[in-house]
Amino acid sequence: MSSLATSYKHSGNNDDYDAIVIGSGIGGLTTAALLSRLAGLRVLVLERHYEPEDFTHTFKRPRFE
């Protein structure tokens, strides 16, 4: 098992979903909410960061932020 795979927490839920949204930023959460509420779809939101957010993260790299 790779280190990437072990960083995720398994929810233990094996249900099927109608849509999968990758990323829990403002766009991802808005899309998931609209698909769920307006289209009645079962939506799974996947996020790689350790905490879901509804705002933009800031990442610092050499000479860039």
Side-chain angles (χ1 to χ4, degrees), residues 2 11 18 32-33 36 42 47 49-50 56:
S2 72
S11 68
D18 298 313
S36 176
R42 292 172 43 109
E47 174 58 54
H49 200 271
Y50 59 87
T56 304

Side-chain angles (χ1 to χ4, degrees), residues 8 19-33 35 43-49 52-53:
Y8 291 94
I20 298 173
V21 176
I22 300 174
S24 67
I26 189 69
L29 291 179
T30 299
T31 300
L35 287 172
V43 181
L44 172 67
V45 178
L46 299 176
E47 174 58 54
R48 184 175 181 186
H49 200 271
E53 300 291 339

